[in-house]
Coordinates of all heavy atoms in Angstrom, one line a residue:
Chain B
T115 N 8.1 60.0 3.1 CA 6.9 60.7 3.2 C 7.2 62.0 4.0 O 6.9 63.1 3.6 CB 5.8 59.9 3.8 OG1 5.6 58.8 3.1 CG2 4.5 60.8 4.0
Y116 N 7.8 61.8 5.1 CA 8.1 62.9 6.0 C 9.1 63.9 5.3 O 8.8 65.1 5.4 CB 8.6 62.5 7.3 CG 8.9 63.6 8.3 CD1 7.9 64.0 9.2 CD2 10.1 64.4 8.3 CE1 8.1 65.1 10.1 CE2 10.3 65.4 9.1 CZ 9.3 65.8 10.0 OH 9.5 66.9 10.8
S117 N 10.1 63.4 4.6 CA 11.1 64.2 4.0 C 10.5 65.1 2.9 O 10.7 66.2 2.7 CB 12.2 63.4 3.4 OG 12.8 62.7 4.5
V118 N 9.6 64.4 2.0 CA 9.0 65.1 0.9 C 8.1 66.2 1.4 O 8.1 67.3 0.9 CB 8.2 64.0 -0.1 CG1 7.4 64.8 -1.1 CG2 9.3 63.1 -0.7
V119 N 7.2 65.8 2.5 CA 6.3 66.8 2.9 C 7.0 67.9 3.6 O 6.6 69.1 3.5 CB 5.2 66.2 3.9 CG1 4.3 67.1 4.4 CG2 4.4 65.1 3.1
S120 N 8.1 67.6 4.3 CA 9.0 68.6 4.9 C 9.5 69.6 3.8 O 9.6 70.8 4.1 CB 10.3 67.9 5.5 OG 9.9 67.6 6.9
A121 N 10.1 69.0 2.7 CA 10.6 69.9 1.7 C 9.6 70.8 1.2 O 9.8 72.0 1.0 CB 11.2 69.0 0.6
L122 N 8.4 70.3 0.9 CA 7.3 71.0 0.4 C 6.8 72.1 1.4 O 6.7 73.3 1.1 CB 6.1 70.2 0.0 CG 6.4 69.2 -1.2 CD1 5.2 68.3 -1.4 CD2 6.7 70.0 -2.5
S123 N 6.8 71.7 2.7 CA 6.4 72.6 3.7 C 7.4 73.7 3.9 O 7.1 74.9 4.0 CB 6.2 71.9 5.0 OG 5.3 70.9 4.9
A124 N 8.7 73.4 3.8 CA 9.8 74.3 3.9 C 9.7 75.4 2.8 O 9.8 76.5 3.1 CB 11.1 73.6 3.8
L125 N 9.4 74.9 1.6 CA 9.3 75.8 0.4 C 8.1 76.7 0.6 O 8.2 77.9 0.4 CB 9.3 75.0 -0.8 CG 10.5 74.3 -1.3 CD1 10.2 73.4 -2.4 CD2 11.6 75.3 -1.6
F126 N 7.0 76.2 1.1 CA 5.8 76.9 1.2 C 5.9 77.9 2.4 O 5.5 79.0 2.2 CB 4.6 75.9 1.4 CG 3.3 76.6 1.7 CD1 2.6 77.1 0.6 CD2 2.8 76.7 2.9 CE1 1.4 77.8 0.8 CE2 1.6 77.4 3.1 CZ 0.8 77.8 2.0
F127 N 6.4 77.4 3.6 CA 6.4 78.3 4.7 C 7.6 79.2 4.8 O 7.5 80.4 5.4 CB 6.3 77.5 6.1 CG 5.0 76.8 6.4 CD1 4.8 75.4 6.2 CD2 3.9 77.6 6.7 CE1 3.5 74.9 6.4 CE2 2.6 77.0 7.0 CZ 2.5 75.7 6.8
V128 N 8.7 78.7 4.4 CA 10.0 79.4 4.6 C 10.6 80.0 3.3 O 11.0 81.1 3.2 CB 11.0 78.6 5.4 CG1 12.2 79.4 5.8 CG2 10.4 77.9 6.6
G129 N 10.6 79.1 2.4 CA 11.3 79.4 1.1 C 12.6 78.6 1.0 O 12.9 77.8 1.8
P130 N 13.3 78.7 -0.1 CA 14.5 77.8 -0.5 C 15.5 77.9 0.5 O 16.2 76.9 0.7 CB 14.9 78.4 -1.8 CG 13.9 79.1 -2.3 CD 13.1 79.7 -1.2
C131 N 15.7 78.9 1.3 CA 16.8 79.1 2.3 C 16.7 78.0 3.4 O 17.6 77.6 4.0 CB 16.9 80.4 2.9 SG 15.5 80.9 4.0
A132 N 15.5 77.5 3.6 CA 15.3 76.5 4.7 C 16.0 75.2 4.3 O 16.5 74.4 5.1 CB 13.8 76.2 4.9
L133 N 16.1 75.0 3.0 CA 16.7 73.7 2.4 C 18.2 73.9 2.2 O 19.0 73.1 2.6 CB 16.0 73.2 1.1 CG 14.5 72.9 1.3 CD1 13.9 72.6 0.0 CD2 14.4 71.7 2.3
T134 N 18.5 75.2 1.7 CA 20.0 75.3 1.3 C 20.7 75.6 2.6 O 22.0 75.4 2.6 CB 20.0 76.6 0.4 OG1 19.3 77.7 1.0 CG2 19.5 76.2 -0.9
S135 N 20.2 76.0 3.7 CA 21.0 76.2 4.9 C 21.3 75.0 5.6 O 22.2 75.0 6.5 CB 20.1 77.1 5.9 OG 19.0 76.3 6.3
M136 N 20.8 73.9 5.2 CA 21.2 72.6 5.9 C 22.5 72.1 5.3 O 22.6 72.0 4.0 CB 20.1 71.6 5.7 CG 18.8 71.9 6.5 SD 17.7 70.5 6.5 CE 17.3 70.4 4.8
G137 N 23.4 71.6 6.1 CA 24.6 71.1 5.6 C 24.6 69.6 5.6 O 23.8 69.0 6.4
Q138 N 25.6 68.9 4.9 CA 25.8 67.5 5.0 C 24.6 66.6 4.9 O 24.4 65.6 5.6 CB 26.5 67.1 6.3 CG 27.8 68.0 6.6 CD 28.5 67.5 7.9 OE1 29.3 66.6 7.9 NE2 28.2 68.1 8.9
I139 N 23.7 67.0 3.9 CA 22.5 66.3 3.7 C 22.8 64.7 3.4 O 22.0 63.9 4.0 CB 21.7 67.0 2.5 CG1 21.3 68.3 2.9 CG2 20.4 66.1 2.2 CD1 20.2 68.6 3.9
P140 N 23.6 64.4 2.5 CA 23.8 63.0 2.3 C 24.1 62.2 3.5 O 23.8 61.1 3.7 CB 25.0 62.9 1.2 CG 25.0 64.3 0.6 CD 24.6 65.2 1.7
W141 N 25.1 62.8 4.3 CA 25.4 62.1 5.6 C 24.2 61.9 6.4 O 24.0 60.8 7.1 CB 26.5 62.9 6.4 CG 27.9 62.6 6.0 CD1 28.8 63.3 5.3 CD2 28.6 61.4 6.4 NE1 30.0 62.7 5.2 CE2 29.9 61.5 5.8 CE3 28.3 60.2 7.1 CZ2 30.9 60.5 6.0 CZ3 29.2 59.3 7.3 CH2 30.5 59.4 6.7
R142 N 23.4 62.9 6.6 CA 22.2 62.9 7.5 C 21.3 61.8 7.0 O 20.7 61.0 7.8 CB 21.6 64.3 7.5 CG 22.4 65.3 8.2 CD 21.7 66.7 8.4 NE 22.7 67.8 8.5 CZ 23.3 68.0 9.7 NH1 23.0 67.3 10.8 NH2 24.2 68.9 9.9
I143 N 21.1 61.9 5.7 CA 20.1 60.9 5.1 C 20.7 59.5 5.2 O 20.0 58.6 5.7 CB 19.8 61.2 3.6 CG1 19.0 62.5 3.5 CG2 19.0 60.0 2.9 CD1 18.7 62.9 2.1
G144 N 22.0 59.3 5.0 CA 22.6 58.0 5.1 C 22.5 57.5 6.5 O 22.1 56.3 6.8
C145 N 22.8 58.3 7.5 CA 22.7 57.9 8.9 C 21.3 57.5 9.2 O 21.0 56.5 10.0 CB 23.2 58.9 9.8 SG 25.0 59.0 10.0
S146 N 20.3 58.3 8.7 CA 18.8 58.0 9.0 C 18.5 56.6 8.5 O 17.7 55.9 9.2 CB 18.0 59.1 8.3 OG 18.3 60.4 8.8
L147 N 19.0 56.3 7.4 CA 18.7 55.0 6.8 C 19.2 53.8 7.7 O 18.6 52.8 7.9 CB 19.2 54.8 5.4 CG 18.8 55.8 4.4 CD1 19.2 55.5 3.0 CD2 17.2 55.9 4.4
F148 N 20.4 54.0 8.2 CA 21.0 53.1 9.2 C 20.2 53.0 10.5 O 20.0 51.9 11.1 CB 22.4 53.2 9.3 CG 23.3 52.9 8.3 CD1 23.9 53.7 7.4 CD2 23.4 51.5 7.9 CE1 24.7 53.4 6.3 CE2 24.2 51.1 6.8 CZ 24.8 52.1 5.9
I149 N 19.8 54.1 10.9 CA 19.0 54.2 12.2 C 17.7 53.5 12.0 O 17.3 52.7 12.9 CB 18.7 55.7 12.5 CG1 20.0 56.4 13.0 CG2 17.7 55.8 13.6 CD1 20.0 57.9 13.1
I150 N 17.0 53.7 10.9 CA 15.7 53.0 10.6 C 15.9 51.5 10.5 O 15.2 50.7 11.0 CB 15.1 53.5 9.3 CG1 14.7 55.0 9.6 CG2 13.9 52.8 8.9 CD1 14.3 55.7 8.3
L151 N 17.1 51.1 9.9 CA 17.5 49.7 9.8 C 17.6 49.0 11.2 O 17.1 47.9 11.5 CB 18.8 49.5 9.0 CG 19.2 48.1 8.8 CD1 18.2 47.2 7.9 CD2 20.6 48.0 8.1
A152 N 18.3 49.7 12.1 CA 18.6 49.2 13.4 C 17.2 49.1 14.2 O 17.0 48.1 14.9 CB 19.5 50.1 14.2
Y153 N 16.4 50.1 14.0 CA 15.0 50.0 14.7 C 14.3 48.8 14.1 O 13.6 48.0 14.9 CB 14.2 51.2 14.5 CG 14.6 52.5 15.4 CD1 14.7 53.7 14.8 CD2 14.9 52.2 16.7 CE1 15.1 54.8 15.6 CE2 15.3 53.4 17.4 CZ 15.3 54.6 16.9 OH 15.7 55.7 17.6
T154 N 14.3 48.6 12.9 CA 13.5 47.6 12.2 C 14.0 46.2 12.8 O 13.2 45.4 13.1 CB 13.7 47.6 10.7 OG1 13.4 48.9 10.2 CG2 12.9 46.6 10.0
A155 N 15.3 46.1 12.8 CA 15.9 44.7 13.2 C 15.5 44.5 14.7 O 15.1 43.3 14.9 CB 17.4 44.8 13.1
A156 N 15.5 45.5 15.5 CA 15.2 45.3 16.9 C 13.7 45.0 17.1 O 13.3 44.0 17.8 CB 15.6 46.5 17.7
F157 N 12.9 45.8 16.5 CA 11.4 45.7 16.7 C 10.9 44.4 16.0 O 9.9 43.8 16.5 CB 10.6 46.9 16.2 CG 11.0 48.2 17.1 CD1 11.0 49.4 16.5 CD2 11.3 48.0 18.4 CE1 11.2 50.5 17.2 CE2 11.5 49.1 19.2 CZ 11.5 50.4 18.6
S158 N 11.4 44.0 14.9 CA 11.0 42.8 14.2 C 11.3 41.5 15.0 O 10.6 40.6 15.1 CB 11.7 42.6 12.8 OG 11.4 43.7 12.0
L159 N 12.4 41.7 15.6 CA 12.9 40.5 16.5 C 11.8 40.3 17.5 O 11.4 39.2 17.8 CB 14.3 40.8 17.1 CG 14.9 39.7 18.0 CD1 16.4 39.6 17.8 CD2 14.6 39.9 19.5
I160 N 11.4 41.3 18.3 CA 10.4 41.2 19.3 C 9.1 40.7 18.8 O 8.5 39.8 19.3 CB 10.3 42.5 20.1 CG1 11.6 42.9 20.8 CG2 9.1 42.5 21.0 CD1 11.7 44.3 21.3
A161 N 8.7 41.3 17.6 CA 7.4 41.0 17.1 C 7.3 39.6 16.6 O 6.3 38.9 16.6 CB 7.1 42.0 16.0
M162 N 8.5 39.1 15.9 CA 8.5 37.7 15.5 C 8.6 36.7 16.5 O 8.1 35.5 16.3 CB 9.7 37.6 14.4 CG 9.5 38.2 13.1 SD 8.2 37.7 12.1 CE 8.7 36.1 11.6
L163 N 9.1 37.0 17.6 CA 9.3 36.0 18.7 C 8.1 36.0 19.7 O 8.0 35.1 20.5 CB 10.7 36.2 19.4 CG 11.9 36.0 18.6 CD1 13.2 36.2 19.3 CD2 11.9 34.7 17.9
D164 N 7.4 37.2 19.8 CA 6.3 37.2 20.7 C 5.0 37.2 19.9 O 4.7 38.1 19.2 CB 6.4 38.5 21.6 CG 5.4 38.4 22.7 OD1 4.4 37.5 22.7 OD2 5.5 39.2 23.6
A165 N 4.3 36.1 20.0 CA 3.1 35.9 19.2 C 1.9 36.8 19.7 O 1.0 36.9 18.9 CB 2.6 34.5 19.2

Side-chain angles (χ1 to χ4, degrees):
Chain B
T115 301
Y116 185 88
S117 301
V118 169
V119 178
S120 268
L122 294 174
S123 302
L125 290 171
F126 179 77
F127 286 108
V128 189
C131 67
L133 298 175
T134 52
S135 64
M136 290 188 296
Q138 305 183 87
I139 297 284
W141 270 107
R142 293 182 201 282
I143 291 175
C145 278
S146 299
L147 302 186
F148 284 107
I149 290 166
I150 293 168
L151 180 65
Y153 283 138
T154 306
F157 293 149
S158 300
L159 182 143
I160 295 167
M162 287 297 286
L163 297 182
D164 190 345

